[in-house]
Amino acid sequence: MRHIRFGAAAAATLLALSLAACGDGSGDGGTGSAGDSFDIAFIPGVANDAYYGSVACGIQAVAAKSGSTVETQAPKSFSPTDQIPILQAVIAKKPDVIIIAPTDSKALYAPLRQATSQGIKVVLVDTTLEDPSLAEAEVSSDNVEAGKVAAQKLVELLGGRSGSVLTVNLSAGVTTTDDREKGFAEGLASAPGLKYLGQQFSNNSVQTAASIVSATLAANADLTGIFSTAAFNTEGAVAALRSANAASRVTIVGFNANPPGVQQIEDGTVAAQVVLKPYDEGVAAAEQAINALTGEPVTKQISTGAVVATKDNLQTPEVQKYLYSFDCPAA
């Protein structure tokens, strides 16, 4: 969910080029046949985000098998205010299916219900809705489990040190990051010597995340760990620790395998990043979308896994193949 700073138009161009580069790349399943050609609309959570670039590559890999087209339109920020007008414009074009990462679990329900009432099928990817019954399928990472993995990794990295731990989250109502915090809190509960300070919300702002961490440092001299649920928060946390000369005593575990997140591992400002599998999400979402359109059986809920990247394993194939990118894998 990282909004890398270059324009949305440039991101759309880059994403279009990356999808073209996918050619006839194939996914993990055999969904669709040469006679099944559909118009697929993909609406990610935000533009300029390599995570969603990887999701798009997975969608295109499956779509290419049936000659289906994929049109991607992304909001400039991760917010329903920016996403809903794009969704409404897409509905007006009447694609066969919309694959979408809702930016709010409640606010996106009504416009998506409008889509389904017009016969447009909906598949949810990455994030979901409070009431997902309107969707053909939900495809997401198991974010509760991934949050637990993040807690385990932080405890391991702290090596028995005691102190306070803070979560910096995005905004309430984003299902993925809410689940990450839930899993993290559960995973940290049994860790001896660590006091969990709970979560604070940056509302998608790097500056707010930095202010949260600065204030927490001032109020808690024993702050020893930070869990960041998304890239905005990690960037702010890194800046705040650097400004306070506290980077050497506070360990950050984040959720970002975009290029800047990889760089944070390489330069040591972040100890570990939880890496999800967005390409696999895109493949599964497109497979279920085409199954729904062709009358094949649909799997209503699909969860993909995660790995943890550190400086020690960053160059291993198991981690490298899941780093987020706009460059689609070769066929």
Side-chain angles (χ1 to χ4, degrees):
M1 297 178 188
R2 185 177 195 293
H3 187 180
I4 304 169
R5 290 175 179 78
F6 53 93
T13 301
L14 179 57
L15 185 54
L17 289 172
S18 73
L19 294 183
C22 289
D24 292 328
S26 61
D28 293 335
T31 302
S33 67
D36 301 322
S37 180
F38 302 104
D39 293 327
I40 300 171
F42 173 45
I43 305 176
V46 68
N48 313 322
D49 189 330
Y51 181 96
Y52 290 120
S54 291
V55 175
C57 286
I59 293 170
Q60 180 64 23
V62 174
K65 292 179 177 180
S66 62
S68 296
T69 60
V70 180
E71 181 177 348
T72 299
Q73 294 191 51
K76 64 182 180 181
S77 69
F78 192 90
S79 71
T81 301
D82 286 333
Q83 192 181 45
I84 288 174
I86 290 174
L87 172 58
Q88 291 170 332
V90 167
I91 292 170
K93 297 172 76 171
K94 297 189 181 301
D96 294 303
V97 62
I98 296 172
I99 300 175
I100 185 171
T103 53
D104 188 279
S105 62
K106 295 181 180 178
L108 270 293
Y109 180 85
L112 285 171
R113 174 57 72 190
Q114 178 188 351
T116 58
S117 70
Q118 297 183 28
I120 301 169
K121 296 190 182 298
V122 170
V123 172
L124 308 177
V125 67
D126 181 39
T127 50
T128 188
L129 299 172
E130 188 174 84
D131 177 6
S133 60
L134 60 76
E136 300 295 325
E138 302 170 74
V139 181
S140 182
S141 302
D142 185 340
N143 281 283
V144 173
E145 181 59 30
K148 291 179 182 178
V149 168
Q152 293 164 1
K153 177 54 68 172
L154 180 60
V155 171
E156 176 188 326
L157 290 167
L158 291 176
R161 299 205 317 264
S162 61
S164 297
V165 175
L166 169 72
T167 291
V168 188
N169 207 344
L170 279 180
S171 56
V174 179
T175 57
T176 50
T177 52
D178 285 350
D179 282 350
R180 290 170 194 174
E181 191 279 332
K182 177 182 178 182
F184 182 80
E186 291 175 0
L188 200 69
S190 60
L194 295 177
K195 176 186 176 183
Y196 187 40
L197 301 174
Q199 63 180 326
Q200 295 191 47
F201 296 101
S202 72
N203 295 315
N204 309 335
S205 167
V206 173
Q207 292 74 23
T208 301
S211 296
I212 288 169
V213 172
S214 295
T216 303
L217 275 169
N220 299 271
D222 67 340
L223 185 67
T224 191
I226 293 173
F227 171 51
S228 167
T229 64
F232 293 103
N233 309 326
T234 309
E235 187 175 341
V238 167
L241 294 183
R242 183 182 295 117
S243 178
N245 294 316
S248 62
R249 63 181 176 86
V250 181
T251 300
I252 299 175
V253 173
F255 255 88
N256 183 14
N258 284 328
V262 173
Q263 182 61 46
Q264 289 168 342
I265 296 173
E266 292 175 337
D267 64 24
T269 55
V270 173
Q273 302 275 17
V274 179
V275 182
L276 302 177
K277 299 180 178 181
Y279 182 86
D280 292 0
E281 287 183 6
V283 167
E287 287 178 348
Q288 300 316 305
I290 293 178
N291 282 351
L293 290 165
T294 57
E296 296 295 323
V298 173
T299 303
K300 292 290 290 185
Q301 286 188 309
I302 297 175
S303 293
T304 57
V307 296
V308 179
T310 64
K311 190 174 289 188
D312 290 338
N313 70 1
L314 185 60
Q315 300 306 320
T316 62
E318 177 62 18
V319 171
Q320 284 288 311
K321 69 180 179 180
Y322 288 117
L323 299 181
Y324 312 155
S325 175
F326 286 104
D327 297 325
C328 296

